[in-house]
Each structure stands twice: as structure tokens, then as C-alpha cells.
Amino acid sequence: MKTDGSVSQVAIPEEILQRIESRGINRRDFIKFCMATTAALALPVTFVPKVAQALEDNRTPVIWLEFQSCSGDSEAFLRANQPTATELILDLISLEYAEVVMAAAGHLAEEAKHQALEKYHGKYILIVEGAIPTKDDGAYCTIAGQSAVASLKQAVAGAAATIAVGSCATSGGLPAAAPNPSGAASVSEIVPGATVVNLPGCPVNATNLTATIVHVLTFGKLPATDRLGRPLFAYGKRIHDNCERRGHFDAGQYAETFGDEAHRKGYCLYKLGCKGPETFHNCPTVRYNEGVSWPVMAGHGCIGCSEPGFWDTMSPFYRRLPKVPGFGIEDTADKIGIGLAAATAAAFAVHGVASCFRKGNPKDESKVIKED
Ligand code: SF4
């Protein structure tokens, strides 16, 4: 590959590209997709031909179930106003059942689902969006008379791989927030013995979902995960580690209120409640909406939506994170801004705290900073 970003030297065999073109897929879009997905998976560029081969060989059946959700994950995945990675992956897989996009409805849709479950038993990728209500025999979400619990168990039993997308499917999300009236649970809680990869986020990032699918197609297995079942390629680093405002954090430059001069200048949002130091996700590098932006870039602090139970554990969203054990981060941040000399000195102190964030606790990477 050329260092100027040209795709001309990626060695995808010509016969693969010709077959891809014969399926109506633009070869340049395909090459770019393979490169971007390989990069998202943190694989070397030499894996691009292997990814291309896997995609060309497959029309892997995918079944997408949706339970207690706002359809935000479906929207995030399917939203497109120009040729996108998502459109490409939809050309490359075989989406057998997805309520949001399928033409069939009612009994026809149900029939399509059951045919797909039977025909592709043991072969399909199952994607699950939304939480699963458990109270009152699952009465709060039934589809064609079948509870979400029963529907999920049936689909997981025949899946080659199960991917839970969005915070509702991965940890209950908003439906499970206190007092959780429907007894909403995550996919893993309903099928505790099953291998499930979790892609939390509100909504899921489409790039991470396509990369996970491509990983399964390319290597025949789910990607390596952390202890919460989240792929390391997407959730291995904190938001804070790659945030474009990090330089301001290290320099002790903070927005104090929304709209103040520091906010307009793009200073750190820590004092406005940003949960980036506690949140593991690749938002700063992948971003949303075809890489256009992400919340912190747009001026709003991270609300920690990829962490378990974030509606309860990360709120109030505008309250700044309290102390790091052993370091007075809040005190330090408050002192900064008193004067230039004080700010310069304090910046070194903050930098020490920041280094602590980066080092973390090797035994528990997910919670270095504890709330009081
Ligand atoms: S506290 Fe938030 S805005 Fe500030 S550097 Fe960390 S992630 Fe970025």
C-alpha cells in the first residue's frame, strides 16, 4: 500500500475483484472497505487480501432479532445516504430476518424467520438488539405469541456466533435502569452458557459491528474480548486515551460551563461531567456517521454509554468524576485556572494523574477510577 493512502497496491487477487464486480459491487469501494475493516480490527495491512477472500467466499446468513429497543442500533447500522461500508456488508452477507428492513410483515415475516432458523441451523450469525424483559413470564415483549426470552433461547441455540449490539442487549440499557419495571436483562443473562460477543454503545458503532462480522467470516471465530465480552480491538482503550481534547486535560485547560470561551476553544470537558476517563470505547478514533464526529468532538462530554448499566452507574451525566484513589484530581482541577504560574505547576500535577489513568490497574482494567 502506498503511504499516500492510494489503494492501488493492495494485493487483492484480480479474480476476486472481478467476481465482486459481477455482483454489482464497485471494486474501489470494496477495496476501501476491506482496508478500513482490516484497520478497525487492528490487523496489519497484509491481512487485506485474506479479508477480501473471506468476504468474496461468503454469503453468510444473518438473523437480526430486536426486543426492548428504540431501533437505534438498526438505524446506526442501516443509515446511509451514499455508498457506505454498511451497504457493502449488506451486499456481502445474506440478511435473512431483520424486522426494521424486511418487506414481509406479520405471519409472512414469522414464517421467514422460522425457515431461516431451520435452514441455516448452526451456520447463521445471530445479532440481537434490545433488552429482554423477564418479569411476568416475559409478557412485556412478545412477538407472534412467543416471549422474547423463548425467542432468544431458540435463536441462540442454532447460531454459529451471537453478537449483542447496543447497551440494551449487552447490559439491559435504559429498560433495565432503576427501577427496571419489566425485569429487563441482557443477552448474556438470558443465555449464560452461550458465547456472546458484546458491542455496547448507545447506539452501537456500525464500524465495530461490521468489523466483528468480518472477523467471524475471515477467521471463523469471534474476536478476542475483555472480561465483559467486548472485543479488544474496539474496547481495549479508554475514551480518554485517544481523545482529541486530551492535550487540554494534561495542560489543565477545562471548559467550566457549556458555551464559555474554553468550551468554544475545544478545551477538556472533564468539569462538565465527561466520563471518558472511565469508559472503554474507540469513539475518538472511529467516530460516528461515517467518521464525521463523535460526542466529545461535538462539545458534549462522554456519558459512558459502553459501560455496564450506564444509566445508573454513570449518572448524573453532568457531575464531574470524583477522585482517583490516592490523587486529588478534583482538587487539582479546581486549582487550575487561578493564575498562569499556578496553572503551569498544576498542569504537572494533572499530568501525573493522567499518567495514573494510563497505567491503570493491570488486574482490573475496567475500573481504575472509582466514584465515591
Ligand atoms: S476528560 Fe473527556 S474531554 Fe477531557 S480529555 Fe478525557 S475524554 Fe476528553
Coordinates of all heavy atoms in Angstrom, one line a residue, residues 238-250 253-254 266-279 284 294 296-297 300-302 321 329 357, ligand 1:
R238 N -9.4 3.3 26.8 CA -10.4 4.3 27.3 C -10.6 5.4 26.2 O -9.7 5.8 25.5 CB -9.9 4.9 28.6 CG -9.8 4.0 29.7 CD -9.3 4.7 31.0 NE -9.0 3.8 32.0 CZ -7.9 3.0 32.1 NH1 -7.0 3.2 31.2 NH2 -7.8 2.2 33.1
I239 N -11.8 6.0 26.3 CA -12.0 7.2 25.5 C -10.9 8.2 25.8 O -10.4 8.9 24.9 CB -13.4 7.8 26.0 CG1 -14.6 6.9 25.6 CG2 -13.6 9.2 25.4 CD1 -15.2 7.0 24.3
H240 N -10.6 8.4 27.0 CA -9.7 9.4 27.5 C -8.3 9.2 26.9 O -7.5 10.2 26.7 CB -9.6 9.3 29.0 CG -8.9 10.3 29.7 ND1 -9.3 11.6 29.8 CD2 -7.7 10.3 30.5 CE1 -8.5 12.4 30.5 NE2 -7.5 11.6 31.0
D241 N -7.9 7.9 26.5 CA -6.6 7.6 26.0 C -6.4 8.3 24.6 O -5.3 8.6 24.3 CB -6.4 6.1 25.9 CG -6.4 5.4 27.2 OD1 -6.1 6.1 28.2 OD2 -6.7 4.2 27.3
N242 N -7.5 8.4 23.8 CA -7.3 8.9 22.5 C -8.1 10.1 22.2 O -8.2 10.5 21.0 CB -7.7 7.8 21.5 CG -6.8 6.6 21.5 OD1 -5.6 6.7 21.4 ND2 -7.4 5.4 21.6
C243 N -8.6 10.7 23.2 CA -9.5 11.9 23.0 C -8.6 13.1 22.4 O -7.5 13.4 22.9 CB -10.1 12.3 24.3 SG -11.1 13.8 24.2
E244 N -9.2 13.8 21.5 CA -8.5 14.9 20.9 C -8.4 16.1 21.9 O -7.6 17.1 21.6 CB -9.2 15.4 19.6 CG -10.6 15.9 19.7 CD -11.6 14.8 19.2 OE1 -11.4 13.6 19.5 OE2 -12.6 15.2 18.6
R245 N -9.2 16.1 23.0 CA -9.1 17.2 24.0 C -8.1 16.8 25.1 O -7.9 17.5 26.0 CB -10.5 17.4 24.6 CG -11.5 18.0 23.6 CD -12.8 18.2 24.2 NE -13.8 18.5 23.2 CZ -14.5 19.7 23.1 NH1 -14.2 20.6 23.9 NH2 -15.3 19.8 22.1
R246 N -7.4 15.7 24.9 CA -6.6 15.2 26.0 C -5.4 16.1 26.3 O -5.0 16.3 27.4 CB -6.0 13.8 25.6 CG -5.0 13.2 26.6 CD -5.6 13.0 28.0 NE -4.6 12.5 28.9 CZ -4.5 11.2 29.1 NH1 -5.2 10.3 28.6 NH2 -3.5 10.8 30.0
G247 N -4.9 16.8 25.3 CA -3.8 17.7 25.5 C -4.3 18.8 26.5 O -3.5 19.3 27.3
H248 N -5.5 19.2 26.3 CA -6.0 20.3 27.2 C -6.2 19.7 28.7 O -6.0 20.4 29.6 CB -7.4 20.8 26.7 CG -7.2 21.5 25.4 ND1 -6.5 22.7 25.3 CD2 -7.7 21.3 24.2 CE1 -6.5 23.1 24.1 NE2 -7.3 22.3 23.4
F249 N -6.6 18.5 28.8 CA -6.7 17.8 30.1 C -5.3 17.8 30.8 O -5.2 18.3 31.9 CB -7.2 16.4 30.0 CG -7.3 15.6 31.3 CD1 -8.4 15.7 32.1 CD2 -6.2 14.9 31.7 CE1 -8.4 15.0 33.3 CE2 -6.2 14.2 32.9 CZ -7.3 14.3 33.7
D250 N -4.3 17.4 30.0 CA -3.0 17.3 30.5 C -2.4 18.7 30.9 O -1.6 18.9 31.8 CB -2.0 16.6 29.5 CG -2.3 15.1 29.4 OD1 -3.1 14.6 30.2 OD2 -1.7 14.5 28.5
Q253 N -6.5 22.6 31.1 CA -7.4 23.6 30.5 C -8.8 23.0 30.4 O -9.0 22.0 29.6 CB -6.8 24.0 29.1 CG -5.5 24.7 29.2 CD -4.8 24.9 27.9 OE1 -4.9 24.0 27.0 NE2 -4.2 26.0 27.7
Y254 N -9.7 23.5 31.1 CA -11.1 22.9 31.2 C -12.2 23.9 30.8 O -12.1 25.1 31.2 CB -11.4 22.4 32.6 CG -10.3 21.4 33.1 CD1 -9.3 21.9 33.9 CD2 -10.4 20.1 32.8 CE1 -8.3 21.0 34.3 CE2 -9.5 19.2 33.2 CZ -8.4 19.6 34.0 OH -7.5 18.7 34.4
G266 N -12.5 24.4 22.6 CA -12.3 22.9 22.5 C -11.5 22.4 23.7 O -10.9 21.3 23.6
Y267 N -11.6 23.0 24.8 CA -10.9 22.5 26.0 C -11.5 21.3 26.6 O -12.7 20.9 26.2 CB -10.8 23.6 27.1 CG -9.8 24.7 26.8 CD1 -9.1 24.8 25.6 CD2 -9.6 25.7 27.8 CE1 -8.2 25.8 25.3 CE2 -8.7 26.8 27.5 CZ -8.0 26.8 26.3 OH -7.1 27.8 26.1
C268 N -10.9 20.7 27.5 CA -11.3 19.4 28.1 C -12.7 19.6 28.8 O -12.9 20.6 29.4 CB -10.3 18.9 29.1 SG -10.8 17.5 30.0
L269 N -13.5 18.6 28.7 CA -14.9 18.6 29.2 C -15.0 17.9 30.6 O -16.1 17.6 31.0 CB -15.9 18.0 28.2 CG -15.8 18.6 26.8 CD1 -16.6 17.8 25.8 CD2 -16.3 20.1 26.9
Y270 N -13.9 17.6 31.2 CA -13.9 16.9 32.5 C -14.8 17.5 33.5 O -15.6 16.9 34.2 CB -12.5 16.8 33.0 CG -12.4 16.4 34.5 CD1 -12.7 15.1 34.9 CD2 -12.1 17.4 35.4 CE1 -12.7 14.8 36.2 CE2 -12.1 17.1 36.8 CZ -12.4 15.8 37.2 OH -12.4 15.5 38.5
K271 N -14.7 18.8 33.6 CA -15.5 19.5 34.7 C -17.0 19.6 34.3 O -17.8 19.9 35.2 CB -15.0 21.0 34.9 CG -13.7 21.0 35.6 CD -13.4 22.5 36.0 CE -12.2 22.6 36.9 NZ -12.0 23.9 37.4
L272 N -17.3 19.3 33.1 CA -18.7 19.3 32.7 C -19.3 17.8 32.7 O -20.4 17.6 32.2 CB -18.9 19.8 31.2 CG -18.5 21.3 31.1 CD1 -18.6 21.7 29.6 CD2 -19.3 22.2 32.0
G273 N -18.5 17.0 33.4 CA -19.0 15.6 33.7 C -18.6 14.5 32.7 O -19.1 13.4 32.8
C274 N -17.6 14.8 31.9 CA -17.1 13.8 30.9 C -16.7 12.5 31.6 O -15.9 12.5 32.5 CB -16.0 14.4 30.1 SG -15.4 13.2 28.8
K275 N -17.2 11.4 31.1 CA -16.9 10.1 31.7 C -15.8 9.3 30.9 O -15.6 8.1 31.1 CB -18.2 9.2 31.8 CG -19.3 9.9 32.6 CD -19.0 10.2 34.0 CE -20.2 10.6 34.8 NZ -20.6 12.0 34.5
G276 N -15.2 10.1 30.0 CA -14.2 9.5 29.2 C -13.1 8.7 29.9 O -12.6 7.7 29.5
P277 N -12.6 9.2 31.1 CA -11.6 8.5 31.8 C -12.0 7.2 32.4 O -11.2 6.4 32.7 CB -11.3 9.5 33.0 CG -11.6 10.8 32.5 CD -12.8 10.6 31.6
E278 N -13.3 6.9 32.4 CA -13.8 5.6 32.9 C -14.4 4.7 31.9 O -14.8 3.6 32.2 CB -14.9 5.9 34.0 CG -14.4 6.2 35.3 CD -15.5 6.0 36.4 OE1 -16.7 5.8 36.0 OE2 -15.2 6.0 37.6
T279 N -14.4 5.2 30.6 CA -15.1 4.5 29.6 C -14.2 3.9 28.5 O -13.4 4.6 27.9 CB -16.1 5.5 28.9 OG1 -16.9 6.0 30.0 CG2 -17.0 4.8 27.9
P284 N -13.2 8.0 19.8 CA -12.3 9.0 19.3 C -11.6 8.7 18.0 O -11.3 9.6 17.2 CB -11.3 9.3 20.4 CG -11.8 8.7 21.6 CD -12.7 7.5 21.1
W294 N -18.1 12.7 16.8 CA -18.5 11.9 18.0 C -18.8 12.9 19.1 O -18.5 14.1 19.0 CB -17.4 10.9 18.3 CG -16.1 11.4 18.8 CD1 -15.2 12.1 18.1 CD2 -15.6 11.3 20.2 NE1 -14.1 12.4 18.9 CE2 -14.4 12.0 20.2 CE3 -16.1 10.7 21.3 CZ2 -13.6 12.0 21.3 CZ3 -15.3 10.8 22.5 CH2 -14.1 11.4 22.5
V296 N -17.8 14.0 22.1 CA -16.8 14.9 22.7 C -16.3 15.9 21.6 O -16.1 17.1 21.9 CB -15.6 14.2 23.3 CG1 -14.5 15.1 23.7 CG2 -16.1 13.4 24.6
M297 N -16.1 15.5 20.4 CA -15.7 16.4 19.3 C -16.8 17.4 19.1 O -16.5 18.6 18.8 CB -15.5 15.6 18.0 CG -14.9 16.3 16.9 SD -14.7 15.2 15.5 CE -14.0 16.3 14.3
H300 N -19.9 17.8 23.7 CA -20.6 17.2 24.9 C -19.7 16.1 25.5 O -19.2 15.3 24.8 CB -21.9 16.6 24.4 CG -22.8 16.3 25.6 ND1 -22.6 15.2 26.4 CD2 -23.9 16.9 26.0 CE1 -23.6 15.2 27.4 NE2 -24.4 16.2 27.1
G301 N -19.6 16.1 26.8 CA -18.8 15.0 27.5 C -19.3 13.6 27.2 O -20.5 13.4 26.9
C302 N -18.4 12.7 27.3 CA -18.8 11.3 27.2 C -19.7 10.9 28.3 O -19.5 11.3 29.5 CB -17.5 10.4 27.2 SG -17.8 8.7 27.5
L321 N -16.4 13.5 37.5 CA -15.9 12.3 38.1 C -15.2 12.7 39.4 O -14.4 13.6 39.4 CB -15.0 11.5 37.2 CG -15.6 10.8 36.0 CD1 -14.5 10.3 35.1 CD2 -16.5 9.7 36.4
I329 N -7.8 14.5 42.1 CA -8.0 15.1 40.7 C -8.9 16.3 40.8 O -8.7 17.3 40.1 CB -8.4 14.1 39.7 CG1 -8.5 14.7 38.3 CG2 -9.8 13.4 40.1 CD1 -8.8 13.7 37.2
F357 N -4.0 7.4 35.1 CA -5.1 6.8 34.3 C -4.5 5.8 33.3 O -5.0 4.8 33.1 CB -5.8 7.9 33.5 CG -6.7 8.8 34.3 CD1 -6.9 10.1 33.9 CD2 -7.3 8.4 35.5 CE1 -7.7 10.9 34.7 CE2 -8.1 9.2 36.2 CZ -8.3 10.5 35.8
Ligands
SF4_1 S1 -12.0 14.1 30.3 FE1 -13.2 13.8 28.5 S2 -13.0 15.6 27.2 FE2 -11.3 15.6 28.7 S3 -9.6 14.5 27.7 FE3 -10.7 13.0 28.9 S4 -12.2 12.1 27.4 FE4 -11.5 14.0 26.5

